[in-house]
Structures are given as structure tokens and as C-alpha cells.
Amino acid sequence: MTDWLFPPAPAPSLPIVGDTRRFPVRRILCVGQNYAAHAREMGSDPTKSAPFFFSKPGDALVSDGLDPAYPGMTDNLHHEVELVAAVGPGGTIIGWAVGVDLTRRDIQAEAKAKGRPWDAAKGFDQSAPCGALTLGDLPDPAAVISLKVNGEVRQSGSLSDMILDPARVLAAAGELWSLQPGDLIYTGTPEGVGPLVRGDRVEADVAGLASLTFTVR
Ligand code: MN
């Protein structure tokens, strides 16, 4: 029995649709600019630069319908709806969920301008809301992925518009990291990202997966 100086932090985890077990989350990898129209709205040229990776700490996860807090140090918190791939034993994708990559866009813009890391823009506390995991194959690789704010559609695209499909995302991530069971990969967002304010009700969907809804506190 390890004699901890203080109790270790509880492991973040996701509920699983139709299963009483939980998926223990290890770390969160994210793909940037994996949809051409979103790359363009961010001022990039998707014909000249490939999708890339960044990460969030595992404890940035917000699960079980909890509501994320509006973070400090920003006046421009953005929503990015994303298909989330869950890595299981053997380094394969064993399930899928709907996530929102919350982003402090103003801090990200400053980081881009100054050539600084994105951690404060992307990896802040409660920056990774995620819905329940559906085990098995992706129900529809061309499913609609969408996000509503207070009932109004802000993002709507197709998973088939991903520059790197999930298999290629997994392969690319596996070249950069040793993927382990519990890793989550946020696979990028379609166009239409925009600001959230306190009290906004967010509904994020990928057809065939459990819906993710939360209110920004
Ligand atoms: Mn994103």
C-alpha cells in the first residue's frame, strides 16, 4: 500500500451507453484544422498546411452532464464541436463520443501571433466537455456533426469532410505518441465556431451518438 503524501486525484472517466462500467481517461489529444472550411475560417490555407495535434490534460474533462464554468482571462470563449475517438487496449479505437473543444480564442490569437504554446488557450480547467461513450464501430462515418447554442444552429457539417478520417488520425497520433488505453482524441471541428457567454445552453450532436448538452456557468 503506497503511503501517499496526500490522496491522488481521482481518475477522470466517461460513462458508457448501455453499460454500467466507466471508461477511465488517461489523456486528451486534439487535432487542429481537420476540416478545410474551419481551417479557412481560422485564416489558414488547408491546401498548404496539414492538420496537427495539441493536447489537453485528462482532468480538463467535463462529463456526466456537468456544466463547465466560464474560464477566467478571456473575453472570447469559443465552442468547437468534435467527434471524440476513445482508445482501448491494443491501441485501437473502441468507442466514440461527442465533445466540445472549448477554446480561449483571444489567448490563442495572441499565442499564434507571438509563436507561443497553446496550452493556456486550449488546456485550461474544464475545457473538454464530453458526452457518454458509445462502444463499437462508428455508426455512420458520414454522419452530421452539429452544435446549437440556445436552440440556434451554429455549426453543422459532415464527418465525411474530415481531412484525416479517424483511422488516419489514429495513425498520425500513433507516430507522435505511444497511444494507451484511456486516451481520447478530439478529431477536429467543422466551420462555424463562435463565442459563448455565461448562461448559454449548448447542444452538441453527432448523429448516432449520445448527445452532449451543457450550460456555461
Ligand atoms: Mn478543436
Side-chain angles (χ1 to χ4, degrees):
M1 194 72 179
T2 304
D3 189 13
W4 300 111
L5 182 60
F6 51 86
S13 64
L14 288 176
I16 301 170
V17 175
D19 197 316
T20 57
R21 298 171 296 175
R22 293 184 68 88
F23 178 89
V25 172
R26 178 170 177 258
R27 62 184 169 187
I28 301 172
L29 305 176
C30 305
V31 184
Q33 300 184 2
N34 198 21
Y35 291 76
H38 171 64
R40 285 192 291 271
E41 77 180 347
M42 292 282 90
S44 296
D45 180 349
T47 65
K48 290 182 181 159
S49 66
F52 54 89
F53 287 88
F54 58 91
S55 70
K56 297 173 185 265
D59 66 2
L61 189 77
V62 181
S63 66
D64 299 278
L66 295 177
D67 295 324
Y70 194 97
M73 301 304 291
T74 186
D75 296 313
N76 198 16
L77 178 70
H78 271 208
H79 55 77
E80 298 188 356
V81 62
E82 312 209 358
L83 172 69
V84 178
V87 177
T92 59
I93 299 173
I94 60 162
W96 308 90
V98 181
V100 173
D101 166 16
L102 291 174
T103 302
R104 289 194 278 214
R105 195 68 77 199
D106 39 8
I107 292 181
Q108 186 194 35
E110 185 182 9
K112 284 180 176 177
K114 296 182 176 175
R116 290 178 180 165
W118 282 14
D119 303 60
K122 289 289 197 177
F124 54 91
D125 296 346
Q126 302 180 24
S127 59
C130 192
L133 194 66
T134 296
L135 297 179
D137 292 337
L138 186 60
D140 177 5
V144 171
I145 177 169
S146 62
L147 181 140
K148 293 179 189 170
V149 179
N150 303 323
E152 180 184 325
V153 177
R154 297 279 183 85
Q155 293 187 263
S156 183
S158 168
L159 297 183
S160 62
D161 290 335
M162 285 196 281
I163 296 169
L164 299 180
D165 68 16
R168 291 171 72 199
V169 165
L170 187 76
E175 290 178 341
L176 291 162
W177 292 277
S178 170
L179 296 176
Q180 299 293 327
D183 290 343
L184 294 179
I185 308 177
Y186 280 57
T187 61
T189 194
E191 75 227 69
V193 302
L196 294 169
V197 297
R198 284 188 183 85
D200 276 349
R201 184 73 179 159
V202 175
E203 181 182 343
D205 285 288
V206 172
L209 301 180
S211 193
L212 166 64
T213 58
F214 61 83
T215 300
V216 180
R217 292 191 286 118

